Amino acid sequence: MRLRIAALALLAACVAPAAAQTDDAYAPARAIVADIGRIVTPNGVQETFEATLGGARQVVNVRGADRDNPILVFVHGGPGAVEMPFAWAFQRPWEDVFTVVQYDQRGAGRSYPLNDPVALAPTMTPERYRDDAIELIELLKKRYGKRKVVLMGHSWGSIVGLSVAVKRPDLLYAYVGVGQGIDFREGEKAGMAWTRAKALAAGNKEAVAVIDALAPYPQGDFTIAKADGWRKYAIPYGSLIYNKPDLKYYFQTPRLSPEYTAADVQAWGKGSEFSVTTLWPRLADVSFRGVHKMNVPIVFLLGRHDYTVPSPVAADWFAQVKAPSKTLVWLEHSAHMPMVEEPGHFFAALLDDVLPLTKEKK
């Protein structure tokens, strides 16, 4: 459901210190990326602002070539794994047909230093994140004169997004789930089993022993240490990005982000650790298994090889749920990050399966 803490430590080692010490070395490259991605159309929008959602200040970024296009709100994963500093690498085509909104959730990324962590921690519950997203949608509707939006949730953000779709379907044209979570304990069990099988086939006795020693997890205590215990081995087997065990360069993507300074990257590392440590134990019993009917169209874009948040669990739930319309798209060469792994196929799915849902019926 998240990039594990060890991976975040890798990011901190690869990104934050280097950026802090040699920030000017990346400034020309960031300027190039910013210029290429600049919105120049007459009716376009490109702005970043602060919004207070549920009493917490949060940073919101909005980009689109035409304000008349439907709004697509992206709810990032984690907890605390912000997407804003990565979005430059895949999002620009979306912005020709949607007004795309990225926001750093409470306690995460650029929002982390805006609030007192001690005061924020008790508020960090799945319900509060859901209601933050609802408040943001209401704000965006008023700010840009829209009736409804498309809501896209990724990984942990898919828990938030699906919760919004259950509670307030009237706000949405459609809900889009990417790396969709359905049941935390069931997902952890499936991911551990897949990783153990991979390790057994590879003759990795150490990994098998470590995973076996985690029992009875995911039952009992739901700790981040145990969640990290098996993900340490899953990521090199391609659970996060298919056929790409070395993620060094992926984690360096924020160095070139026009939306993130070196200080922002450092805040992101702190916010990620704070968010996942605070929130993870509160997620143990989150499940949508009892939801059998949705009152909004749903589209799932699933990586065939995703075992960070195992896609078979999402597909099983999708098969039984009833909705006004539903579409499941398999990204055959992707794991947990299909918008990065198969950007063309992902964008095609947005055009073919999501955009038509925003057309108002007369």
Coordinates of all heavy atoms in Angstrom, one line a residue, residues 45-124:
V45 N -5.2 26.6 -17.1 CA -5.0 26.9 -15.7 C -3.7 26.2 -15.2 O -3.5 25.0 -15.6 CB -6.2 26.4 -14.9 CG1 -6.5 25.0 -15.1 CG2 -6.0 26.7 -13.4
Q46 N -2.9 26.9 -14.5 CA -1.7 26.3 -13.8 C -1.5 27.1 -12.6 O -1.0 28.2 -12.6 CB -0.5 26.4 -14.8 CG 0.8 25.9 -14.2 CD 2.0 25.9 -15.2 OE1 1.8 26.2 -16.4 NE2 3.2 25.7 -14.7
E47 N -1.8 26.5 -11.4 CA -1.7 27.2 -10.2 C -1.5 26.3 -9.0 O -1.9 25.1 -9.1 CB -2.9 28.1 -10.0 CG -4.3 27.4 -9.8 CD -5.4 28.4 -9.6 OE1 -5.1 29.5 -9.2 OE2 -6.6 27.9 -9.7
T48 N -0.9 26.8 -8.0 CA -0.7 26.0 -6.7 C -1.2 26.9 -5.6 O -0.9 28.1 -5.6 CB 0.8 25.6 -6.5 OG1 1.2 24.8 -7.6 CG2 0.9 24.9 -5.2
F49 N -2.0 26.4 -4.7 CA -2.5 27.2 -3.6 C -2.7 26.3 -2.4 O -2.6 25.1 -2.5 CB -3.9 27.8 -4.0 CG -4.9 26.9 -4.4 CD1 -5.8 26.3 -3.4 CD2 -5.1 26.5 -5.7 CE1 -6.8 25.4 -3.8 CE2 -6.1 25.6 -6.1 CZ -7.0 25.1 -5.1
E50 N -2.9 27.0 -1.2 CA -3.2 26.2 0.0 C -4.7 26.2 0.2 O -5.4 27.2 0.0 CB -2.5 26.9 1.2 CG -1.0 26.7 1.3 CD -0.4 27.4 2.5 OE1 -1.2 27.6 3.5 OE2 0.8 27.6 2.6
A51 N -5.1 25.1 0.7 CA -6.5 24.9 1.1 C -6.6 24.4 2.5 O -5.8 23.5 2.9 CB -7.3 24.0 0.2
T52 N -7.5 24.9 3.4 CA -7.6 24.3 4.7 C -8.8 23.3 4.6 O -9.9 23.7 4.4 CB -7.9 25.4 5.7 OG1 -6.8 26.3 5.8 CG2 -8.1 24.8 7.1
L53 N -8.4 22.0 4.8 CA -9.4 20.9 4.7 C -9.5 20.2 6.1 O -8.5 19.7 6.6 CB -9.0 20.0 3.6 CG -8.7 20.6 2.3 CD1 -8.1 19.5 1.3 CD2 -9.9 21.2 1.6
G54 N -10.6 20.2 6.7 CA -10.7 19.6 8.0 C -9.8 20.2 9.0 O -9.3 19.5 9.9
G55 N -9.6 21.5 8.9 CA -8.7 22.2 9.8 C -7.2 22.1 9.6 O -6.4 22.7 10.3
A56 N -6.8 21.4 8.5 CA -5.4 21.2 8.2 C -5.1 21.9 6.9 O -5.8 21.7 5.9 CB -5.0 19.7 8.1
R57 N -4.0 22.6 6.9 CA -3.5 23.3 5.7 C -2.9 22.3 4.7 O -2.0 21.5 5.1 CB -2.5 24.4 6.0 CG -3.1 25.5 6.8 CD -2.1 26.4 7.5 NE -1.2 27.1 6.5 CZ -0.1 27.6 6.8 NH1 0.4 27.5 8.0 NH2 0.6 28.2 5.8
Q58 N -3.3 22.3 3.5 CA -2.8 21.3 2.5 C -2.6 22.0 1.1 O -3.3 22.9 0.8 CB -3.8 20.2 2.3 CG -4.1 19.4 3.7 CD -5.1 18.4 3.6 OE1 -5.2 17.6 2.7 NE2 -6.0 18.4 4.6
V59 N -1.5 21.6 0.4 CA -1.1 22.2 -0.8 C -1.8 21.5 -2.0 O -1.8 20.3 -2.1 CB 0.4 22.1 -1.0 CG1 0.9 22.7 -2.3 CG2 1.1 22.9 0.2
V60 N -2.4 22.3 -2.9 CA -3.1 21.9 -4.0 C -2.5 22.4 -5.3 O -2.2 23.6 -5.4 CB -4.6 22.3 -3.9 CG1 -5.4 21.8 -5.1 CG2 -5.2 21.9 -2.6
N61 N -2.3 21.5 -6.3 CA -1.7 21.9 -7.6 C -2.8 21.6 -8.7 O -3.3 20.5 -8.7 CB -0.4 21.2 -7.8 CG 0.2 21.5 -9.2 OD1 0.0 20.7 -10.1 ND2 0.8 22.6 -9.3
V62 N -3.0 22.6 -9.5 CA -4.0 22.4 -10.6 C -3.4 22.8 -11.9 O -2.8 23.8 -12.1 CB -5.3 23.3 -10.3 CG1 -6.4 23.1 -11.4 CG2 -5.8 23.1 -8.9
R63 N -3.6 21.9 -12.9 CA -3.0 22.1 -14.2 C -4.0 21.6 -15.3 O -4.5 20.5 -15.2 CB -1.7 21.3 -14.4 CG -0.6 21.9 -13.5 CD 0.7 21.0 -13.7 NE 1.0 20.8 -15.0 CZ 1.8 21.6 -15.8 NH1 2.3 22.7 -15.2 NH2 2.0 21.3 -17.0
G64 N -4.2 22.4 -16.4 CA -5.0 21.9 -17.4 C -5.0 22.9 -18.6 O -4.9 24.1 -18.4
A65 N -5.2 22.4 -19.8 CA -5.1 23.2 -21.0 C -6.4 24.0 -21.2 O -6.4 25.0 -22.0 CB -4.8 22.4 -22.2
D66 N -7.5 23.6 -20.6 CA -8.8 24.3 -20.9 C -9.6 24.1 -19.6 O -10.0 23.0 -19.2 CB -9.5 23.6 -22.1 CG -10.7 24.4 -22.5 OD1 -11.2 25.2 -21.7 OD2 -11.1 24.2 -23.7
R67 N -10.0 25.2 -19.0 CA -10.8 25.2 -17.8 C -12.1 24.6 -18.0 O -12.8 24.2 -17.0 CB -11.0 26.7 -17.3 CG -9.7 27.3 -16.7 CD -9.9 28.8 -16.4 NE -8.7 29.4 -15.9 CZ -8.5 29.6 -14.6 NH1 -9.5 29.2 -13.7 NH2 -7.4 30.2 -14.2
D68 N -12.6 24.5 -19.3 CA -13.9 23.9 -19.5 C -13.8 22.4 -19.5 O -14.9 21.7 -19.5 CB -14.4 24.4 -20.9 CG -14.7 25.9 -20.9 OD1 -15.0 26.4 -19.8 OD2 -14.6 26.5 -22.0
N69 N -12.6 21.8 -19.5 CA -12.5 20.4 -19.4 C -13.0 19.9 -18.0 O -12.9 20.6 -17.0 CB -11.1 19.9 -19.6 CG -10.6 20.0 -21.1 OD1 -11.5 20.0 -22.0 ND2 -9.3 20.2 -21.3
P70 N -13.4 18.6 -17.9 CA -13.7 18.1 -16.6 C -12.5 18.0 -15.7 O -11.4 17.9 -16.1 CB -14.3 16.7 -16.9 CG -13.7 16.3 -18.3 CD -13.6 17.6 -19.0
I71 N -12.8 18.1 -14.4 CA -11.8 18.0 -13.4 C -11.5 16.6 -13.0 O -12.4 15.8 -12.8 CB -12.2 18.8 -12.1 CG1 -12.2 20.3 -12.4 CG2 -11.2 18.5 -10.9 CD1 -12.7 21.1 -11.2
L72 N -10.2 16.2 -12.9 CA -9.8 14.9 -12.4 C -8.9 15.1 -11.2 O -7.9 15.7 -11.2 CB -9.0 14.1 -13.5 CG -8.6 12.7 -13.2 CD1 -8.4 11.9 -14.5 CD2 -7.4 12.6 -12.3
V73 N -9.4 14.6 -10.0 CA -8.7 14.8 -8.8 C -7.9 13.5 -8.5 O -8.5 12.4 -8.5 CB -9.6 15.1 -7.6 CG1 -8.9 15.2 -6.3 CG2 -10.4 16.4 -7.9
F74 N -6.6 13.6 -8.3 CA -5.8 12.4 -8.1 C -5.5 12.4 -6.6 O -5.0 13.3 -6.0 CB -4.4 12.6 -8.8 CG -3.6 11.3 -8.8 CD1 -3.4 10.6 -10.0 CD2 -2.9 10.9 -7.7 CE1 -2.6 9.4 -10.0 CE2 -2.1 9.8 -7.7 CZ -1.9 9.1 -8.8
V75 N -5.9 11.2 -5.9 CA -5.6 11.0 -4.5 C -4.4 10.1 -4.4 O -4.5 8.9 -4.7 CB -6.8 10.4 -3.8 CG1 -6.6 10.4 -2.3 CG2 -8.1 11.2 -4.2
H76 N -3.3 10.7 -3.9 CA -2.0 9.9 -3.9 C -2.0 8.8 -2.8 O -2.8 8.8 -1.9 CB -0.8 10.9 -3.7 CG -0.7 11.5 -2.4 ND1 -0.3 10.8 -1.2 CD2 -0.8 12.8 -1.9 CE1 -0.3 11.6 -0.2 NE2 -0.6 12.8 -0.6
G77 N -1.0 8.0 -3.0 CA -0.9 6.8 -2.2 C -0.1 7.0 -0.9 O 0.1 8.2 -0.4
G78 N 0.5 5.9 -0.4 CA 1.3 6.0 0.8 C 0.8 5.1 1.9 O 0.9 3.9 1.7
P79 N 0.4 5.6 3.1 CA 0.2 7.0 3.4 C 1.4 7.8 3.3 O 2.5 7.3 3.7 CB -0.4 6.9 4.8 CG -0.9 5.5 5.0 CD 0.0 4.7 4.2
G80 N 1.3 9.0 2.8 CA 2.4 9.9 2.7 C 3.2 9.9 1.4 O 4.2 10.7 1.3
A81 N 2.9 9.0 0.5 CA 3.7 8.9 -0.8 C 3.1 9.9 -1.8 O 2.3 9.5 -2.7 CB 3.7 7.5 -1.3
V82 N 3.4 11.2 -1.7 CA 2.9 12.2 -2.6 C 3.2 11.9 -4.0 O 4.3 11.4 -4.3 CB 3.3 13.6 -2.2 CG1 2.8 13.9 -0.8 CG2 4.9 13.7 -2.1
E83 N 2.4 12.3 -4.9 CA 2.6 12.1 -6.4 C 3.0 13.4 -7.1 O 3.5 13.3 -8.2 CB 1.3 11.6 -7.0 CG 1.5 10.8 -8.3 CD 2.3 9.5 -8.1 OE1 2.1 8.8 -7.1 OE2 3.1 9.2 -9.0
M84 N 2.8 14.5 -6.4 CA 3.1 15.8 -7.1 C 4.5 15.9 -7.7 O 4.6 16.4 -8.8 CB 2.8 17.0 -6.1 CG 2.6 18.3 -6.8 SD 2.4 19.7 -5.6 CE 0.8 19.2 -4.8
P85 N 5.5 15.5 -7.0 CA 6.9 15.6 -7.5 C 7.2 14.6 -8.6 O 8.2 14.8 -9.3 CB 7.8 15.4 -6.3 CG 7.0 14.5 -5.4 CD 5.6 15.0 -5.6
F86 N 6.3 13.6 -8.8 CA 6.5 12.6 -9.9 C 5.7 13.0 -11.1 O 5.9 12.5 -12.2 CB 6.2 11.2 -9.4 CG 7.1 10.7 -8.4 CD1 6.8 10.8 -7.0 CD2 8.2 10.0 -8.8 CE1 7.7 10.3 -6.1 CE2 9.1 9.4 -7.8 CZ 8.8 9.6 -6.5
A87 N 4.6 13.8 -10.9 CA 3.6 13.9 -11.9 C 4.1 14.5 -13.3 O 3.6 14.2 -14.3 CB 2.5 14.8 -11.4
W88 N 5.2 15.3 -13.2 CA 5.7 15.9 -14.5 C 6.1 14.8 -15.5 O 6.1 15.0 -16.7 CB 6.9 16.8 -14.2 CG 8.1 16.1 -13.7 CD1 8.5 15.8 -12.4 CD2 9.1 15.5 -14.5 NE1 9.7 15.1 -12.4 CE2 10.1 14.9 -13.7 CE3 9.3 15.4 -15.9 CZ2 11.2 14.2 -14.2 CZ3 10.5 14.7 -16.4 CH2 11.4 14.2 -15.5
A89 N 6.4 13.6 -15.0 CA 6.9 12.6 -15.8 C 5.8 11.8 -16.6 O 6.2 11.1 -17.6 CB 7.7 11.6 -15.0
F90 N 4.6 12.0 -16.2 CA 3.5 11.2 -16.9 C 2.2 12.0 -17.1 O 1.4 11.6 -17.9 CB 3.2 9.9 -16.1 CG 2.6 10.1 -14.7 CD1 1.3 10.4 -14.5 CD2 3.5 10.1 -13.6 CE1 0.8 10.6 -13.2 CE2 3.0 10.3 -12.3 CZ 1.6 10.5 -12.2
Q91 N 2.0 13.1 -16.4 CA 0.7 13.7 -16.4 C 0.4 14.6 -17.5 O -0.8 14.9 -17.8 CB 0.6 14.4 -15.0 CG -0.8 15.0 -14.8 CD -0.9 15.8 -13.5 OE1 -0.9 15.1 -12.4 NE2 -0.9 17.1 -13.5
R92 N 1.4 15.2 -18.2 CA 1.1 16.3 -19.2 C 0.0 15.9 -20.2 O -0.8 16.7 -20.5 CB 2.4 16.7 -19.8 CG 2.2 17.9 -20.8 CD 1.7 19.1 -20.1 NE 1.4 20.2 -21.0 CZ 0.2 20.4 -21.6 NH1 -0.8 19.5 -21.3 NH2 0.0 21.4 -22.4
P93 N 0.0 14.7 -20.8 CA -1.0 14.4 -21.8 C -2.4 14.4 -21.2 O -3.4 14.8 -21.9 CB -0.7 13.0 -22.3 CG 0.8 12.9 -22.1 CD 1.1 13.6 -20.8
W94 N -2.6 14.1 -19.9 CA -3.9 14.1 -19.3 C -4.4 15.5 -19.3 O -5.7 15.7 -19.4 CB -3.8 13.7 -17.8 CG -3.2 12.3 -17.5 CD1 -2.5 11.5 -18.4 CD2 -3.2 11.7 -16.2 NE1 -2.1 10.4 -17.7 CE2 -2.5 10.5 -16.4 CE3 -3.6 12.1 -15.0 CZ2 -2.3 9.6 -15.3 CZ3 -3.4 11.2 -13.9 CH2 -2.7 10.0 -14.1
E95 N -3.5 16.5 -19.2 CA -3.9 17.9 -19.0 C -4.5 18.5 -20.2 O -5.1 19.6 -20.2 CB -2.7 18.7 -18.5 CG -2.2 18.2 -17.2 CD -0.8 18.7 -16.9 OE1 -0.3 19.5 -17.7 OE2 -0.2 18.3 -15.9
D96 N -4.5 17.8 -21.4 CA -5.1 18.3 -22.6 C -6.6 18.0 -22.6 O -7.4 18.7 -23.3 CB -4.5 17.7 -23.8 CG -3.2 18.3 -24.2 OD1 -2.9 19.5 -23.7 OD2 -2.4 17.7 -24.9
V97 N -7.0 17.0 -21.8 CA -8.4 16.6 -21.7 C -9.1 16.7 -20.4 O -10.3 16.7 -20.3 CB -8.6 15.2 -22.3 CG1 -8.3 15.1 -23.8 CG2 -7.7 14.2 -21.5
F98 N -8.3 16.8 -19.3 CA -8.8 17.0 -18.0 C -8.1 18.2 -17.3 O -7.0 18.6 -17.7 CB -8.5 15.8 -17.1 CG -9.2 14.6 -17.4 CD1 -8.6 13.6 -18.2 CD2 -10.6 14.4 -17.0 CE1 -9.3 12.4 -18.5 CE2 -11.2 13.2 -17.4 CZ -10.6 12.2 -18.1
T99 N -8.7 18.9 -16.4 CA -8.0 19.8 -15.4 C -7.6 18.9 -14.3 O -8.5 18.4 -13.5 CB -9.0 20.9 -15.0 OG1 -9.3 21.7 -16.1 CG2 -8.3 21.8 -14.0
V100 N -6.3 18.7 -14.1 CA -5.8 17.6 -13.2 C -5.4 18.3 -11.9 O -4.6 19.3 -11.9 CB -4.6 16.9 -13.8 CG1 -4.2 15.8 -12.9 CG2 -5.0 16.3 -15.2
V101 N -5.9 17.7 -10.8 CA -5.6 18.3 -9.5 C -4.8 17.2 -8.7 O -5.2 16.1 -8.5 CB -6.9 18.6 -8.7 CG1 -6.6 19.1 -7.3 CG2 -7.8 19.6 -9.5
Q102 N -3.6 17.7 -8.2 CA -2.8 16.9 -7.3 C -2.9 17.7 -6.0 O -2.8 18.9 -5.9 CB -1.4 16.8 -7.7 CG -1.2 16.0 -9.0 CD -1.0 14.5 -8.8 OE1 -1.1 14.0 -7.7 NE2 -0.9 13.8 -9.9
Y103 N -3.0 16.9 -4.8 CA -2.8 17.6 -3.6 C -2.0 16.7 -2.6 O -2.1 15.5 -2.6 CB -4.2 18.0 -3.0 CG -5.0 16.8 -2.4 CD1 -5.2 16.6 -1.1 CD2 -5.7 16.0 -3.3 CE1 -6.0 15.6 -0.6 CE2 -6.5 14.9 -2.8 CZ -6.6 14.7 -1.4 OH -7.4 13.7 -0.9
D104 N -1.2 17.4 -1.8 CA -0.5 16.7 -0.7 C -1.3 16.6 0.5 O -1.7 17.6 1.1 CB 0.8 17.5 -0.4 CG 1.9 17.3 -1.5 OD1 1.6 16.7 -2.6 OD2 3.0 17.9 -1.4
Q105 N -1.7 15.4 0.9 CA -2.6 15.1 2.0 C -2.0 15.6 3.3 O -0.9 15.9 3.4 CB -2.9 13.6 2.1 CG -3.6 13.1 0.8 CD -3.5 11.6 0.7 OE1 -3.3 10.9 1.7 NE2 -3.8 11.0 -0.5
R106 N -2.9 15.7 4.3 CA -2.5 16.1 5.6 C -1.3 15.3 6.1 O -1.3 14.1 6.0 CB -3.6 16.1 6.6 CG -4.3 14.7 6.9 CD -5.3 14.8 8.0 NE -6.3 15.8 7.7 CZ -6.9 16.6 8.6 NH1 -6.6 16.5 9.9 NH2 -7.8 17.5 8.2
G107 N -0.3 16.0 6.6 CA 0.9 15.3 7.1 C 1.9 14.8 6.0 O 2.8 14.1 6.4
A108 N 1.7 15.2 4.8 CA 2.5 14.6 3.7 C 3.1 15.7 2.8 O 2.4 16.8 2.6 CB 1.7 13.7 2.8
G109 N 4.3 15.5 2.3 CA 4.8 16.3 1.3 C 4.9 17.8 1.7 O 5.3 18.1 2.8
R110 N 4.5 18.7 0.8 CA 4.6 20.1 1.1 C 3.6 20.5 2.1 O 3.7 21.6 2.7 CB 4.3 20.9 -0.2 CG 5.4 20.8 -1.3 CD 5.1 21.4 -2.6 NE 4.9 22.9 -2.4 CZ 4.6 23.7 -3.5 NH1 4.5 23.2 -4.7 NH2 4.4 25.0 -3.3
S111 N 2.6 19.7 2.4 CA 1.6 20.0 3.5 C 2.2 19.7 4.9 O 1.7 20.2 5.9 CB 0.3 19.2 3.3 OG -0.3 19.5 2.1
Y112 N 3.2 18.8 5.0 CA 3.7 18.4 6.3 C 4.2 19.6 7.1 O 3.8 19.7 8.3 CB 4.9 17.4 6.1 CG 5.6 17.0 7.3 CD1 5.0 16.2 8.3 CD2 6.9 17.5 7.6 CE1 5.6 15.9 9.5 CE2 7.5 17.1 8.8 CZ 6.9 16.3 9.7 OH 7.5 16.0 10.9
P113 N 5.0 20.5 6.6 CA 5.5 21.6 7.5 C 4.5 22.7 7.8 O 4.8 23.6 8.6 CB 6.7 22.2 6.7 CG 6.4 21.9 5.3 CD 5.7 20.6 5.3
L114 N 3.3 22.6 7.2 CA 2.3 23.6 7.4 C 1.5 23.4 8.6 O 0.7 24.3 9.0 CB 1.3 23.7 6.2 CG 2.0 24.0 4.8 CD1 0.9 24.0 3.7 CD2 2.8 25.3 4.8
N115 N 1.6 22.2 9.3 CA 0.8 21.9 10.4 C 1.6 21.3 11.5 O 2.7 20.7 11.2 CB -0.3 20.9 10.0 CG -1.2 21.4 8.9 OD1 -2.1 22.1 9.1 ND2 -0.9 21.0 7.6
D116 N 1.2 21.4 12.8 CA 1.9 20.9 13.9 C 1.7 19.4 13.9 O 0.5 18.9 14.1 CB 1.4 21.5 15.2 CG 2.0 20.9 16.4 OD1 3.0 20.1 16.3 OD2 1.4 21.2 17.5
P117 N 2.7 18.5 13.8 CA 2.5 17.1 13.7 C 1.8 16.5 15.0 O 1.0 15.6 14.9 CB 3.9 16.5 13.6 CG 4.7 17.6 13.0 CD 4.1 18.9 13.5
V118 N 2.2 17.1 16.1 CA 1.6 16.6 17.4 C 0.1 16.8 17.4 O -0.7 15.9 17.8 CB 2.2 17.3 18.6 CG1 1.5 16.9 19.9 CG2 3.7 17.0 18.7
A119 N -0.4 18.0 16.9 CA -1.8 18.3 16.9 C -2.5 17.5 15.8 O -3.7 17.1 15.9 CB -2.0 19.8 16.7
L120 N -1.7 17.2 14.7 CA -2.3 16.6 13.5 C -2.5 15.1 13.7 O -3.5 14.5 13.2 CB -1.4 16.8 12.3 CG -2.0 16.6 10.9 CD1 -3.1 17.7 10.7 CD2 -1.0 16.7 9.9
A121 N -1.6 14.4 14.5 CA -1.6 13.0 14.6 C -3.0 12.4 15.0 O -3.4 11.4 14.4 CB -0.5 12.5 15.5
P122 N -3.7 12.9 16.0 CA -4.9 12.3 16.4 C -6.0 12.4 15.3 O -7.0 11.6 15.3 CB -5.4 13.1 17.6 CG -4.1 13.7 18.1 CD -3.3 14.0 16.9
T123 N -5.9 13.3 14.4 CA -6.9 13.5 13.3 C -6.6 12.6 12.1 O -7.5 12.5 11.2 CB -6.9 14.9 12.8 OG1 -5.7 15.1 11.9 CG2 -6.8 15.9 13.9
M124 N -5.5 11.8 12.1 CA -5.1 11.1 10.9 C -5.8 9.7 10.9 O -5.3 8.7 11.4 CB -3.6 11.0 10.8 CG -3.0 12.3 10.6 SD -1.2 12.4 10.7 CE -0.7 11.4 9.3

